[in-house]
Amino acid sequence: MTTNLCFDNDTRYQSLADLSHANTMALSCVADTVVTLTDESQLDDFMANTADSQPLFVLSGGSNVLLPEQLQATVLRPQMRGITITAQTEDYVDIEVMAGENWHDLVTHTVNKGWYGLENLALIPGLTGAAPVQNIGAYGVQLEDSMRYVRAYHLPSKTWHQLTTIDCQFGYRDSLFKRTPNTWLISRVGFRLHTNQTHISADYGDVQAVAQSYAEQHGHTQPTPIDVMNAIIDIRKQKLPDPKQLPNCGSFFQNPIITHDQFSLLQATYPHIVGYPMPDSMVKVAAGWLIEHAGLKGGGIEPIITHKKQALVLTNHAPYQATQTDVITAQNHIAKCIYDTFAITLYREPVWVNTDGTVGYEYAA
Ligand SMILES: Cc1cc2nc3c(=O)[nH]c(=O)nc-3n(C[C@H](O)[C@H](O)[C@H](O)COP(=O)(O)OP(=O)(O)OC[C@H]3O[C@@H](n4cnc5c(N)ncnc54)[C@H](O)[C@@H]3O)c2cc1C
């Protein structure tokens, strides 16, 4: 296969680019053209010479996408770097972060500087520019809690905009960017981080206990944000496979939301079923529990197999060879087993990218 060919003597443009190593699921993918952006002005230049009809797709760290074998689109890869302090008081620091900064590196950088708010989001793969797309969240904290604005390019009108958190229409793993795919390219994200060590959020699952043991090792009575971050890194490493060792794209299915009546009926047969009450007499059911109790932990359809420690994660056992078709085959098999067992429909979480660069999201509600 021919890969990474350059044209116009410009290494920012690659034709027939192999993206198999640019997605954490390690699916085989060749894109017509890839344009790497290291400066915002390069996007203006590129768009000035691009027909409105040209299919475009934005790809950052590739940790939440299912790429097609042939991607007949121009793939824009934001790799602008830099972290700038824009304001500082005794209580907080405002920073502006360029889209190409690695997310986990940003979290450790800020926490080590004594700027707090992102510690619960440690070890989430990907780049900063993608974080607002699904309002990333973990351990009781979401991006929107610290984010103030994004600077983003509106691809259809070829214009730059500054969007506040309200403009971004954030929801649970949801945003304007997710609801209007192929429309925006986020180039900068602004955050307000606080400098007070006592504002921590540690009452989620095992976090409190692990953070407390870190605190005691360091002679503190209460966990600090660094203790919380280290606890979360430990917990995540134990629970989630590292995509570099075993390709995956994190949680593959959304937790389904069913009526309280349906949940009560299931509870009569499965007294240990895991569900969390939601507004309007609805219950969010743990998809991982359903998969495990349908006997599918470590199962699936080769080479796409559920992880033996965390059934919600689908892993690729044929890296750089398996394709989107293998993924949908395994997804349909798992979803059918769950429906046959519990009469619950499972929906996918990662972004499905079509051959023409358009994307398909599945929404449970
Ligand atoms: C092991 C593992 C664990 C994970 N854990 C979590 C978790 O705890 N919480 C959580 O929320 N997510 C989690 N994820 C999902 C994923 O890491 C996040 O969604 C992350 O923000 C994706 O970043 P990325 O750079 O890889 O984006 P990509 O996968 O490259 O892109 C994702 C989507 O965003 C769009 N996009 C990317 N960059 C931009 C941009 N600059 N401007 C506009 N649109 C853009 C793409 O077009 C695509 O639709 C996990 C994934 C893995 C593999």
Side-chain angles (χ1 to χ4, degrees):
M1 184 192 302
T2 311
T3 58
N4 296 349
L5 290 180
C6 304
F7 60 86
D8 290 344
N9 292 326
D10 188 339
T11 51
R12 284 184 289 122
Y13 294 75
Q14 299 172 334
S15 61
L16 292 181
D18 183 357
L19 293 179
S20 314
H21 291 259
N23 70 100
T24 63
M25 193 68 180
L27 296 181
S28 170
C29 174
V30 174
D32 278 5
T33 310
V34 169
V35 179
T36 302
L37 304 165
T38 52
D39 192 293
E40 287 172 344
S41 64
Q42 292 165 348
L43 183 57
D44 288 312
D45 294 346
F46 170 75
M47 292 300 288
N49 297 301
T50 298
D52 292 348
S53 56
Q54 173 62 38
L56 300 171
F57 177 71
V58 183
L59 180 69
S60 288
S63 65
N64 205 28
V65 289
L66 297 166
L67 297 178
E69 249 187 307
Q70 303 291 328
L71 181 46
Q72 289 158 4
T74 295
V75 177
L76 300 172
R77 304 213 65 190
Q79 294 192 359
M80 299 77 89
R81 305 289 304 271
I83 302 172
T84 311
I85 297 177
T86 53
Q88 195 159 15
T89 70
E90 256 184 33
D91 301 325
Y92 64 80
V93 179
D94 287 345
I95 57 169
E96 187 173 80
V97 184
M98 300 304 288
E101 290 291 337
N102 175 280
W103 176 259
H104 176 67
D105 292 349
L106 171 69
V107 173
T108 53
H109 173 78
T110 54
V111 172
N112 289 331
K113 283 273 190 191
W115 307 335
Y116 309 123
L118 303 181
E119 50 279 358
N120 291 46
L121 304 177
L123 222 61
I124 297 181
L127 303 186
T128 302
V133 175
Q134 73 155 6
N135 185 20
I136 56 168
Y139 298 96
V141 169
Q142 304 191 84
L143 181 91
E144 65 175 311
D145 301 333
S146 312
M147 204 203 88
R148 295 179 63 231
Y149 65 88
V150 300
R151 183 169 200 249
Y153 188 86
H154 187 248
L155 295 162
S157 63
K158 304 187 180 184
T159 50
W160 288 98
H161 298 261
Q162 181 138 320
L163 285 82
T164 64
T165 37
I166 292 171
D167 297 332
C168 293
Q169 298 171 23
F170 286 127
Y172 180 77
R173 302 289 185 277
D174 196 21
S175 72
L176 165 76
F177 313 107
K178 197 165 173 181
R179 291 197 172 259
T180 54
N182 305 87
T183 304
W184 296 93
L185 184 147
I186 297 164
S187 74
R188 304 179 191 201
V189 187
F191 297 92
R192 175 160 295 178
L193 303 174
H194 52 85
T195 48
N196 183 340
Q197 294 223 27
T198 59
H199 288 179
I200 56 164
S201 170
D203 17 307
Y204 199 99
D206 317 337
V207 176
Q208 181 71 50
V210 183
Q212 186 63 39
S213 94
Y214 265 106
E216 283 162 17
Q217 282 169 37
H218 294 97
H220 313 140
T221 48
Q222 292 290 320
T224 64
I226 294 186
D227 296 326
V228 172
M229 179 179 77
N230 286 331
I232 286 170
I233 291 173
D234 275 3
I235 294 167
R236 290 185 70 104
K237 279 187 175 165
Q238 278 167 33
K239 284 193 177 161
L240 289 169
D242 177 354
K244 291 192 188 100
Q245 316 287 333
L246 187 52
N248 71 85
C249 52
S251 301
F252 190 88
F253 291 105
Q254 302 169 37
N255 290 323
I257 295 170
I258 62 174
T259 63
H260 189 269
D261 289 351
Q262 193 183 355
F263 187 73
S264 299
L265 276 176
L266 284 166
Q267 253 181 336
T269 317
Y270 306 98
H272 302 295
I273 186 169
V274 178
Y276 308 94
M278 301 279 290
D280 303 325
S281 295
M282 304 298 278
V283 179
K284 186 192 281 183
V285 185
W289 189 95
L290 297 175
I291 297 169
E292 188 173 343
H293 289 83
L296 287 167
K297 202 174 192 177
I301 296 199
E302 286 284 356
I304 308 297
I305 303 295
T306 67
H307 190 243
K308 57 183 183 311
K309 283 196 197 157
Q310 173 50 276
L312 196 51
V313 176
L314 297 200
T315 56
N316 176 5
H317 290 253
Y320 320 121
Q321 289 163 30
T323 65
Q324 244 189 2
T325 308
D326 294 312
V327 175
I328 196 74
T329 305
Q331 177 189 331
N332 289 342
H333 169 71
I334 295 164
K336 181 173 184 313
C337 289
I338 298 302
Y339 192 82
D340 291 348
T341 312
F342 303 105
I344 291 179
T345 305
L346 284 188
Y347 295 95
R348 191 174 55 226
E349 184 163 308
V351 180
W352 182 271
V353 185
N354 296 310
T355 303
D356 64 359
T358 57
V359 308
Y361 286 105
E362 287 189 344
Y363 281 105

